């Protein structure tokens, strides 16, 4: 039942409890209680609008790998998360420490982001040309196959 609620909320987080209850065949109080439990458990972490970056004036989207370690690492500076161009920061494995998803209004503005990142280490950018899958709802994982009996 929780997955049914999550499916509906991910499709449209603005649904009322009455509409949710109709869609998942539970009473509105039961739906409200289940949603509250999902929020308290940290499964539902917020409700957000999906924004079309181009229509919002962010025509340059890129992934930037940062190779930085030690006291000047970008991951040690929480103010970077407040830069308006930075949409996501991921700590990663491999020869870089992080990947940032950034969206700027122009190539010049993107170049300024790269310049601001340079003191933290070596940025390496990859421009996003298109996003065939920009977002996908979280769904239950398929059950793992059980042990094979002899």
């Amino acid at each position: 039942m929780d997955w049914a609620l999550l499916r509906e909320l991910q499709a449209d987080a603005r649904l009322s409890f009455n509409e949710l209850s109709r869609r998942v065949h539970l009473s509105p109080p039961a739906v409200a209680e289940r949603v509250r439990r999902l929020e308290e458990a940290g499964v539902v972490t917020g409700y957000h609008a999906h924004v079309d970056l181009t229509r919002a004036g962010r025509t340059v989207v890129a992934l930037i790998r940062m190779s930085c370690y030690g006291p000047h690492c970008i991951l040690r500076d929480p103010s970077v998360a407040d830069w308006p161009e930075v949409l996501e920061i991921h700590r990663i494995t491999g020869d870089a420490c992080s990947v940032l998803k950034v969206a700027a209004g122009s190539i010049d503005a993107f170049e300024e982001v790269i310049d601001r990142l340079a003191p933290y280490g070596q940025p390496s950018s990859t421009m996003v040309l298109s996003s065939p899958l920009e977002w996908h709802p979280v769904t239950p994982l398929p059950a793992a196959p059980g042990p094979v009996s002899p």
Side-chain angles (χ1 to χ4, degrees), residues 12-27:
D12 185 355
R14 297 178 69 189
L15 292 174
S16 67
F17 288 142
N18 284 337
E19 180 59 20
L20 270 173
S21 70
R22 187 184 69 70
R23 292 183 183 195
V24 299
H25 310 291
L26 281 179
S27 70

Side-chain angles (χ1 to χ4, degrees), residues 119-133:
Y120 294 97
Q122 181 64 41
S124 175
S125 63
T126 301
M127 304 302 288
V128 174
L129 299 177
S130 66
S131 299
L133 178 61

